[in-house]
Amino acid sequence: MKKTAIMGFGNPVRSDDGVGCYVIDQLRESLGEQPGVNLFDMGTSAFEVLFQLRGHERILIVDAVINTGETPGTLYKLPAHEVEAAIQDDPMVFLHSLKWDQALSYARKILLNDYPDDIQVYLIAVDNLKLEVNLSDVVKDAGDRVVALMREDILRTV
């Protein structure tokens, strides 16, 4: 099995934006400790992606996405290269506002041959970013679908 990092992103006090963190919490409960699998609640610290990628062969990322035009709770799964292809390479990027997709772009440049080839991104459509700690029911259900998919994937490869 490839050494795997699962990273959940989001702000847990902005309602549905915290779905990536929710997925990590649920995986900790349902998977427990699995050899070769590291779970990271990244919160809003995209810059940390650069450092957490090192030493892993496979990365699974979960985050909320807004303004897709799709119904909240819609789940997207795509390889990271599709996300990276849309990134504008800005050498003046302000590190405190760095998004995880930009962090992947920089990680590719910094890690060179150590950059993992296998990166999958799960994005969940949201529209509620109110200042509250609870997820909406539809986004929580989508987060639970991601947990089930990842759990099945991890347990199949252990």
Side-chain angles (χ1 to χ4, degrees), residues 2-92:
K2 293 179 178 179
K3 187 172 179 184
T4 302
I6 302 176
M7 302 174 168
F9 288 88
N11 185 338
V13 298
R14 297 294 266 179
S15 189
D16 291 344
D17 188 48
V19 69
C21 304
Y22 170 79
V23 167
I24 297 301
D25 288 344
Q26 296 304 304
L27 285 171
R28 280 194 178 112
E29 286 183 23
S30 66
L31 278 178
E33 294 286 326
Q34 294 293 324
V37 178
N38 294 307
L39 302 173
F40 298 100
D41 179 343
M42 302 300 290
T44 57
S45 304
F47 190 67
E48 294 298 317
V49 170
L50 294 171
F51 305 105
Q52 300 298 343
L53 290 175
R54 189 179 300 272
H56 291 92
E57 301 165 280
R58 181 175 179 221
I59 309 295
L60 303 175
I61 292 174
V62 184
D63 199 5
V65 62
I66 193 164
N67 296 330
T68 63
E70 295 294 329
T71 305
T74 300
L75 176 62
Y76 305 89
K77 180 181 177 188
L78 55 153
H81 67 82
E82 287 188 23
V83 175
E84 291 178 64
I87 297 171
Q88 300 289 322
D89 191 11
D90 180 1
M92 300 302 289

Side-chain angles (χ1 to χ4, degrees), residues 47 90-99 102 106:
F47 190 67
D90 180 1
M92 300 302 289
V93 69
F94 184 58
L95 294 180
H96 294 289
S97 63
L98 188 71
K99 297 177 182 173
Q102 294 169 312
Y106 286 100

